[in-house]
């Protein structure tokens, strides 16, 4: 099992540029989560999907952020336009179907730096 | 006041010591998660519990629903246990996790 795959692992961009982060969940998992981690705020949920449908996007900071899950094996998080305060580590996680209480499996994260 | 609070924020220990990390929450929960974040940044789920106690190797997690409190214990600590330990609460009818700020543990040989 390859685990949750995220790309790129590191991204450095300039303010105003569009940034797209990618995530491939573990095969067979039906829930996918996008998190952001900063020194100031720690880990925060941005959005999560269940069966490719967005369930809770209350953590998405503002309209500059958007997330899609076109199929069960792929999701993107897009920031347009990016700002220096978006610099953070972005984690994707997935969890399997089944019982109500499932653990989440985290990807390695994408470290984003916006100059 | 954060909905999920951890203590201590930082913890140092000598190899072999018994370690306790505490987590208190103010919201109703369906489950409480303990996560470990290694110095390299990777996050691993350690436990998910809604009542009682769970044990995995040298790690033990307990939860008291009435007191809204959970503890993570590490017996016979080892330098490789050095990491940030994060608790997270999951509310009812949601998969959303609310995270504590983490406890940074350093175990010295």
């Amino acid at each position: 099992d390859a685990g949750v795959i995220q790309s790129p692992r590191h991204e450095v961009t300039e303010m105003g540029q569009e940034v797209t982060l990618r995530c491939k969940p573990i095969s067979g998992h039906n829930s996918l989560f996008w998190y952001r981690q900063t020194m100031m705020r720690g880990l925060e949920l941005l959005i999560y999907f269940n069966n490719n449908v967005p369930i809770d996007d209350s953590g998405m900071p503002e309209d500059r952020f958007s997330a899609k899950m076109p199929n069960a094996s792929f999701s993107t998080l897009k920031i347009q336009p990016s700002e220096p305060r978006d610099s953070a580590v972005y984690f994707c996680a997935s969890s399997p179907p089944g019982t109500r209480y499932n653990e989440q499996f985290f990807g390695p994260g994408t470290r984003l730096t916006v100059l | 006041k954060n909905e999920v609070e951890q203590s201590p924020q930082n913890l140092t220990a000598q190899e072999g010591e018994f370690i306790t990390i505490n987590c208190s929450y103010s919201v109703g929960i369906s489950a409480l998660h303990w996560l470990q974040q290694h110095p390299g940044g990777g996050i691993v789920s350690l436990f998910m519990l809604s009542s009682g106690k769970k044990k995995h190797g040298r790690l033990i997690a307990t939860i008291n629903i009435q007191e809204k409190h959970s503890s993570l214990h590490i017996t016979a600590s080892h330098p490789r246990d050095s990491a940030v330990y994060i608790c997270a609460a999951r509310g009812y009818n949601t998969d959303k996790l609310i995270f504590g700020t983490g406890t940074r543990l350093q175990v010295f040989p």
Side-chain angles (χ1 to χ4, degrees), chain A residues 9 31 33 35 37 39 42-45 48 50 56 58-59 91 95 100-108 111, chain B residues 30-31 33 35 37 40-46 48 50 86 90-97 99-101 104:
Chain A
R9 294 292 307 276
S31 292
F33 306 81
Y35 295 100
Q37 185 178 39
M39 288 293 291
L43 268 168
E44 302 173 286
L45 176 70
Y48 81 90
N50 187 259
D56 186 336
S58 59
F91 288 97
S95 66
R100 183 83 197 134
Y101 310 120
N102 285 323
E103 68 174 303
Q104 296 181 16
F105 295 80
F106 284 76
R111 183 174 296 276
Chain B
S30 59
H33 294 243
L35 309 171
Q37 186 167 26
I43 298 175
V44 175
S45 177
L46 296 175
M48 182 182 60
S50 55
I86 303 168
R90 189 210 315 249
Y92 298 114
N93 299 317
T94 178
D95 286 315
K96 179 176 181 176
L97 296 180
F99 295 90
T101 52
R104 184 175 299 276

Side-chain angles (χ1 to χ4, degrees), chain B residues 6-58:
Chain B
Q6 289 184 236
S7 64
Q9 283 191 317
N10 295 284
L11 184 56
T12 58
Q14 289 295 123
E15 183 173 356
E17 287 185 6
F18 180 84
I19 289 163
T20 296
I21 300 171
N22 296 299
C23 176
S24 297
Y25 52 92
S26 57
V27 296
I29 68 165
S30 59
L32 193 288
H33 294 243
W34 281 100
L35 309 171
Q36 179 191 54
Q37 186 167 26
H38 291 283
I43 298 175
V44 175
S45 177
L46 296 175
F47 294 104
M48 182 182 60
L49 64 167
S50 55
S51 64
K53 179 168 87 171
K54 286 191 176 181
K55 184 176 189 293
H56 181 69
R58 295 180 294 105

Side-chain angles (χ1 to χ4, degrees), chain B residues 49-96:
Chain B
L49 64 167
S50 55
S51 64
K53 179 168 87 171
K54 286 191 176 181
K55 184 176 189 293
H56 181 69
R58 295 180 294 105
L59 302 179
I60 303 167
T62 64
I63 189 167
N64 184 316
I65 298 295
Q66 286 73 30
E67 295 186 2
K68 295 188 174 181
H69 180 269
S70 177
S71 293
L72 177 67
H73 305 285
I74 305 175
T75 61
S77 60
H78 189 276
R80 64 175 176 265
D81 297 327
S82 298
V84 176
Y85 293 83
I86 303 168
C87 71
R90 189 210 315 249
Y92 298 114
N93 299 317
T94 178
D95 286 315
K96 179 176 181 176

Side-chain angles (χ1 to χ4, degrees), chain A:
Chain A
D1 191 342
V4 176
I5 298 172
Q6 291 187 247
S7 65
R9 294 292 307 276
H10 301 271
E11 176 82 27
V12 180
T13 190
E14 292 187 345
M15 184 174 68
Q17 296 297 306
E18 177 179 297
V19 175
T20 299
L21 310 182
R22 297 172 176 81
C23 176
K24 177 177 169 54
I26 294 172
S27 177
H29 285 193
N30 70 334
S31 292
L32 183 140
F33 306 81
W34 281 102
Y35 295 100
R36 179 172 67 177
Q37 185 178 39
T38 61
M39 288 293 291
M40 290 295 294
R41 299 172 67 91
L43 268 168
E44 302 173 286
L45 176 70
L46 298 176
I47 184 171
Y48 81 90
F49 297 84
N50 187 259
N51 293 324
N52 311 337
V53 175
I55 303 299
D56 186 336
D57 65 354
S58 59
M60 295 287 264
E62 49 199 89
D63 292 346
R64 297 185 298 106
F65 285 68
S66 63
K68 293 182 180 179
M69 191 163 187
N71 57 61
S73 59
F74 184 65
S75 177
T76 59
L77 177 68
K78 186 176 294 187
I79 308 172
Q80 165 63 18
S82 58
E83 296 182 2
R85 61 190 167 125
D86 302 330
S87 298
V89 180
Y90 291 82
F91 288 97
C92 176
S94 68
S95 66
T99 62
R100 183 83 197 134
Y101 310 120
N102 285 323
E103 68 174 303
Q104 296 181 16
F105 295 80
F106 284 76
T110 294
R111 183 174 296 276
L112 173 65
T113 303
V114 183
L115 304 174

